[in-house]
């Protein structure tokens, strides 16, 4: 079975008219990209089909021979309450519609209803069913604390519990067709997470990445949608856009927070309607790729200040992944050091050096504004300067010293350091507290503690001896 079926669960069409089943199926696939379809012309076979196939939604006619739609509705609701049922009937009677809803139908439509209304109702039911399945799966995974496909995350070096929760969440949403918003500081591994989502989805097409930062509206449209020959001056031949190139796969739009407002409108329409127009064409094309977006911006704040459309923000945040910065993953530092030094040694054709035991402790006091990408660069730089034996910490000390020198102690909080209704401590008491905290952070290493305090190691040793003797 194709891995690009939408939705992930089957939709069963039940009607005694073969011609209606054919036209209905064609409409669902061409107008909404819904292709995970099953057909049943004999109402007596419906329950067997449901038992045999992964059905999540039934589109049910009412007036049929042998077994009526109302009788089937009662059976489905009683035996398979997890399956949604939409009645699509030729009966335009309010009493019948209300009766079906009371029996448990999700919605009721008339066959002559305009296509857009019917499709909207079906897509709403699909989204609700997807959310129900995701919630059930998420509960199961978090309670069991398991990963079904840990090999997908083998290239993401971590033992952090927060990252493991992210992996579990990705497994849950992998089958969904909805967009995923991946946010996090620069260098936290957003593209690696996007590759994991693509691998988990099992889609047969490729993953295509586009950095949209700095693209004006015209270039954005041409890059994504492509153009027909003669669409504009210089368009000597037709060109497929990135959406076409990602057909059957995944499209990643990186730095989405920098997209212009005009381009945001185009992206919103693409996500809402599932179709787009190549430049110079008056015939719409359907998108057959899942859309992922990534940003280091806080989109919630940007939509509040008006630089990001609210409707687009709410469309994108159906599934959200927030990656923690490296400073919140301190337990991963030894693993990442070992991994990047081994990678650097292989690339530079050198032996992997011994890591001084003080280095992970030293790095725990660095904010890592560039996160994992910065740590990798530091490891490569340190190894390129390495002469043999134990790895020198000079490269790391220089960066951490520069970070300490430029840190604004008032930047993180406006709260007062001392309570207004309490007496101020003496200078000696403050000094003792600072020394004790530095030794705690340095895990008893006087060399590291002295660097944190900005004093020499002999001076720190003298203070410690004085404190112990008093």
């Amino acid at each position: 079975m194709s891995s690009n079926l939408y939705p992930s669960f089957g939709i069963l069409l039940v009607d005694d008219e073969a011609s209606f089943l054919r036209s209905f199926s064609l409409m669902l696939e061409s107008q909404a990209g819904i292709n995970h379809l099953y057909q049943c012309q004999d109402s007596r076979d419906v329950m067997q089909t449901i038992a045999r196939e992964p059905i999540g939604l039934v589109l049910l006619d009412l007036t049929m021979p042998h077994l009526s739609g109302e009788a089937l509705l009662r059976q489905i609701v009683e035996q398979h309450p997890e399956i949604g049922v939409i009645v699509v009937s030729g009966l335009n009677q309010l009493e019948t519609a209300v009766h079906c809803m009371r029996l448990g139908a999700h919605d009721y439509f008339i066959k002559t209803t305009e296509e857009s209304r019917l499709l909207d109702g079906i897509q709403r039911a699909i989204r609700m069913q997807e959310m129900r399945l995701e919630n059930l799966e998420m509960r199961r995974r978090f309670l069991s604390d398991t990963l079904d496909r840990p090999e997908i995350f083998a290239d993401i070096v971590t033992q952090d519990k927060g990252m493991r929760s992210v992996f579990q969440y990705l497994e849950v949403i992998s089958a969904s067709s909805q967009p995923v918003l991946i946010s996090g500081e620069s260098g936290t591994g957003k593209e690696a997470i996007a590759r994991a989502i693509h691998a988990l989805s099992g889609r047969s097409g490729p993953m295509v990445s586009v950095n949209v930062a700095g693209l004006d509206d015209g270039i954005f449209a041409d890059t994504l949608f492509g153009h027909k020959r003669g669409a504009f001056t210089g368009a000597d031949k037709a060109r497929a856009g990135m959406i076409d190139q990602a057909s059957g796969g995944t499209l990643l739009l990186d730095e989405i927070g920098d997209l212009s407002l005009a381009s945001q409108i185009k992206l919103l329409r693409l996500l809402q309607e599932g179709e787009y127009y190549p430049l110079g064409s008056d015939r719409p094309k359907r998108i057959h790729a899942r859309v992922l977006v990534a940003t280091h911006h806080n989109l919630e704040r940007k939509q509040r200040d008006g630089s990001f459309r609210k409707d687009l923000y709410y469309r994108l945040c159906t599934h959200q992944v927030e990656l923690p910065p490296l400073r919140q993953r301190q337990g991963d530092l030894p693993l990442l050091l070992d991994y990047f030094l081994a990678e650097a040694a292989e690339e530079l054709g050198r032996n992997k050096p011994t890591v001084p035991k003080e280095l992970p402790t030293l790095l725990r006091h660095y904010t890592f504004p560039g996160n994992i990408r910065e740590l990798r660069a530091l490891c490569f730089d340190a190894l390129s300067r390495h002469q043999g034996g134990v790895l020198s910490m000079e490269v790391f000390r220089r960066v951490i010293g520069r970070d300490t020198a430029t840190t604004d102690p008032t930047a993180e909080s406006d709260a007062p350091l001392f309570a207004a209704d309490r007496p101020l401590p003496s200078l000696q008491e403050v000094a003792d507290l600072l020394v004790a905290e530095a030794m705690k952070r340095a895990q008893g290493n006087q060399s590291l503690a002295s660097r944190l305090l900005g004093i020499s190691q002999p001076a720190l040793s003298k203070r410690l001896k004085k404190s112990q003797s008093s």
Side-chain angles (χ1 to χ4, degrees), residues 410-422:
T410 64
E412 292 191 5
S413 175
D414 294 329
L417 291 174
F418 305 104
D421 58 346
R422 299 289 299 276

Side-chain angles (χ1 to χ4, degrees), residues 218-252:
I219 296 176
F220 172 78
D222 188 30
T223 301
L224 253 65
F225 308 145
H227 61 254
K228 305 291 285 185
R229 181 182 177 185
F232 50 83
T233 303
D236 300 327
K237 57 182 180 180
R239 186 179 71 82
M242 294 299 185
I243 296 175
D244 265 355
Q245 294 178 34
S247 182
T250 303
L251 176 65
L252 170 64

Side-chain angles (χ1 to χ4, degrees), residues 149-397:
R149 301 183 63 188
E151 72 280 1
I152 296 294
F153 308 102
D155 292 337
I156 303 176
V157 181
T158 184
Q159 60 182 10
D160 182 71
K161 289 184 179 179
M163 289 298 292
R164 185 175 179 83
S165 295
V166 168
F167 297 163
Q168 291 173 326
Y169 178 68
L170 296 184
E171 285 193 337
V172 170
I173 67 171
S174 62
S176 170
S177 61
Q178 298 300 309
V180 182
L181 170 59
I182 309 169
S183 57
E185 295 178 9
S186 178
T188 50
K190 295 186 288 295
E191 188 164 350
I193 290 296
R195 288 195 297 270
I197 296 173
H198 174 67
L200 286 168
S201 72
R203 292 173 175 265
S204 59
M207 174 174 156
V208 177
S209 301
V210 185
N211 190 319
V212 300
L215 297 184
D216 65 30
D217 188 47
I219 296 176
F220 172 78
D222 188 30
T223 301
L224 253 65
F225 308 145
H227 61 254
K228 305 291 285 185
R229 181 182 177 185
F232 50 83
T233 303
D236 300 327
K237 57 182 180 180
R239 186 179 71 82
M242 294 299 185
I243 296 175
D244 265 355
Q245 294 178 34
S247 182
T250 303
L251 176 65
L252 170 64
L253 303 180
D254 202 3
E255 300 300 347
I256 195 72
D258 296 315
L259 197 62
S260 70
L261 287 171
S263 296
Q264 289 176 32
I265 297 173
K266 290 182 170 62
L267 178 58
L268 176 63
R269 187 186 185 282
L270 174 71
L271 296 177
Q272 282 183 334
E273 307 297 332
E275 62 182 25
Y276 63 97
Y277 290 85
L279 299 184
S281 173
D282 56 0
R283 298 184 63 183
K285 299 182 70 173
R286 289 211 63 80
I287 179 172
H288 296 289
R290 186 182 191 180
V291 177
L292 312 179
V293 299
T295 182
H296 67 279
H297 290 291
N298 184 326
L299 292 190
E300 186 176 2
R301 186 182 303 131
K302 287 180 72 70
Q303 63 92 10
R304 285 200 304 266
D305 66 26
S307 58
F308 200 85
R309 291 181 63 95
K310 290 184 178 181
D311 44 9
L312 178 57
Y313 171 72
Y314 292 124
R315 174 66 65 173
L316 293 175
C317 67
T318 304
H319 299 306
Q320 299 181 68
V321 179
E322 176 74 31
L323 298 184
L326 183 54
R327 60 184 172 274
Q328 293 178 9
R329 295 170 49 189
Q330 294 190 354
D332 284 343
L333 284 171
L335 286 175
L336 290 166
L337 269 174
D338 185 73
Y339 180 83
F340 288 139
L341 287 172
E343 183 185 18
E346 182 178 356
E347 188 167 321
L348 298 174
R350 307 183 67 175
N351 292 326
K352 180 184 167 187
T354 302
V355 178
K357 61 181 181 181
E358 302 90 352
L359 183 53
T361 304
L362 177 68
L363 294 178
R364 287 191 182 97
H365 304 293
Y366 181 47
T367 58
F368 279 104
N371 291 288
I372 295 172
R373 187 183 295 124
E374 182 182 10
L375 177 60
R376 182 180 184 274
L378 288 174
C379 289
F380 271 72
D381 188 22
L383 190 60
S384 66
R385 300 170 188 271
H386 178 59
Q387 299 300 319
V390 178
L391 181 69
S392 170
M393 297 201 301
E394 188 54 37
V395 168
F396 304 95
R397 283 188 178 127

Side-chain angles (χ1 to χ4, degrees), residues 101-128:
M101 301 293 280
R102 284 176 175 168
L103 288 177
H106 176 79
D107 215 332
Y108 187 104
F109 291 98
I110 312 302
K111 285 183 178 179
T112 55
T113 300
E114 60 184 76
E115 289 183 1
S116 59
R117 241 185 103 235
L118 178 57
L119 288 174
D120 286 345
I122 294 172
Q123 288 174 323
R124 278 196 307 272
I126 289 174
R127 285 195 292 270
M128 289 183 65

